Amino acid sequence: MKKIIMTPNPYRDKDFQTVRQAARILAEAGMEVRLCLPFEVDRSYDLPKDLCFSRLDKELSDADLIICFGGDGTILHMSKTATRAGIPILGVNIGTMGFMAELESTELEQLRRLANGDYTVDKRMMLDVTVFRDRDILFHDICLNDVVITKGAVARIVHLAVECDGVEAMESGGDGVIVATPTGSTAYSLSAGGPIVEPEAHSILVTPICAHDVGSRCMVASDRRVISVKLTRNARRNAYLSVDGGKSVRLNMGDVTIIKKSNLETNLLRLKDRSFYDVVNQKFRDSR
């Protein structure tokens, strides 16, 4: 590792204290550090005058690693950019759960191991999401956690039909449906009653949200399957699609959302030798 980009969440890391400490440790280990904001900061927020921020797009070409400081949301936000650039991510948790983060803010000394190549890379499956309106592509993206199709803010039921390789698999009336990767199994899908799935599993999870039909249950499909979701004929209103918690897209009757395994994978860098179940036990215990 030679050049490392650090992307702090300024709303999580007060006065960038964690980032400052990490930058010092990395510099002492002989690594070049660049500081880039992962998203646009509100104009009313005053960035420290003593820190130099670079543009992320200019630093990606020769970077070896991106370190994200924040919660899982910060990692999810950076996962697409990092994956498309072929750069691994290491997460430092300054949030609440932090399932995808490798280090807590109290474990920054572990970063010294990067200089000696003392790490492993964990490959995470992503989903490819395309929304078709007639024959036109309305929306296309990739995601690391999940695709969520919901009724929106209005208190009503949305009726969705889910097909697997063109065969009807589920028709659900309720708040919506979550289509998740194994990585996303511990996020919204879990809250909606879905199972915990190992990140290395080759599967796609379909979890109804507050289903009105008691027969609607979570479905675990092979990652070779193509999932399609559309509003059924008795759906009188619109639905909304969101990928990894991003900005929602309005869906009309007739729109078809096609979800399948992406050809891209997110590479999460690991410094500690621990089981996925150790992480699950720790995170749920600490959240009590």
Side-chain angles (χ1 to χ4, degrees):
M1 291 283 176
K2 294 182 179 179
K3 178 179 175 180
I4 295 176
I5 297 174
M6 299 197 305
T7 59
N9 183 332
Y11 304 111
R12 294 277 190 180
D13 189 6
K14 185 178 180 181
D15 196 33
F16 295 87
Q17 294 179 2
T18 306
V19 167
R20 293 173 189 272
Q21 183 181 354
R24 176 183 57 78
I25 291 171
L26 293 169
E28 289 175 353
M31 288 171 278
E32 178 185 355
V33 178
R34 291 290 184 271
L35 193 59
C36 302
L37 292 174
F39 46 76
E40 290 188 14
V41 177
D42 190 281
R43 292 181 180 179
S44 63
Y45 187 92
D46 292 326
L47 294 171
K49 300 295 190 296
D50 61 322
L51 294 180
C52 180
F53 294 90
S54 302
R55 283 181 49 180
L56 181 61
D57 57 348
K58 289 187 176 182
E59 301 292 350
L60 286 172
S61 61
D62 59 345
D64 298 306
L65 175 68
I66 296 177
I67 302 180
C68 300
F69 296 82
D72 284 341
T74 307
I75 297 175
L76 287 173
H77 184 83
M78 282 304 305
S79 64
K80 300 170 190 178
T81 299
T83 298
R84 288 175 174 137
I87 303 172
I89 298 175
L90 187 149
V92 176
N93 183 38
I94 316 178
T96 49
M97 293 295 281
F99 260 100
M100 285 179 283
E102 176 65 5
L103 300 178
E104 299 296 323
S105 57
T106 56
E107 301 176 309
L108 295 179
E109 285 294 329
Q110 297 262 12
L111 294 174
R112 297 184 187 276
R113 297 167 57 184
L114 295 173
N116 301 321
D118 185 14
Y119 57 82
T120 58
V121 176
D122 185 5
K123 295 185 178 296
R124 295 294 182 91
M125 165 186 164
M126 301 187 81
L127 294 175
D128 181 282
V129 188
T130 307
V131 178
F132 290 94
R133 179 165 292 171
D134 296 326
R135 295 185 178 181
D136 298 326
I137 295 178
L138 176 67
F139 173 84
H140 178 260
D141 206 350
I142 55 175
C143 70
L144 176 58
N145 248 15
D146 51 33
V147 183
V148 180
I149 301 176
T150 64
K151 61 182 178 56
V154 181
R156 56 178 172 78
I157 292 174
V158 62
H159 297 272
L160 299 171
V162 180
E163 293 184 352
C164 183
D165 287 350
V167 179
E168 182 178 334
M170 178 193 306
E171 185 167 328
S172 176
D175 285 0
V177 164
I178 304 163
V179 182
T181 64
T183 298
S185 72
T186 52
Y188 193 4
S189 176
L190 180 63
S191 298
I196 294 175
V197 180
E198 291 187 7
E200 293 82 5
H202 303 285
S203 56
I204 300 175
L205 285 69
V206 183
T207 307
I209 308 170
C210 297
H212 189 263
D213 178 6
V214 295
S216 296
R217 292 290 183 268
C218 177
M219 178 179 72
V220 181
S222 164
D223 66 351
R224 299 188 301 273
R225 306 304 174 201
V226 176
I227 308 297
S228 64
V229 183
K230 56 185 177 181
L231 277 73
T232 59
R233 293 183 179 180
N234 61 341
R236 299 179 180 178
R237 298 182 183 273
N238 306 99
Y240 296 86
L241 176 144
S242 178
V243 172
D244 276 349
K247 186 177 179 179
S248 62
V249 177
R250 181 173 174 171
L251 302 178
N252 298 334
M253 180 66 67
D255 293 348
V256 180
T257 302
I258 302 296
I259 304 163
K260 60 184 179 180
K261 179 182 178 181
S262 173
N263 293 327
L264 300 175
E265 293 178 315
T266 294
N267 293 321
L268 297 182
L269 192 141
R270 298 302 187 198
L271 292 171
K272 298 185 290 186
D273 183 17
R274 58 177 180 171
S275 164
F276 167 69
Y277 300 100
D278 289 332
V279 177
V280 170
N281 290 332
Q282 176 192 345
K283 296 299 181 182
F284 284 131
R285 182 179 64 247
D286 291 348
S287 65
R288 292 173 184 172

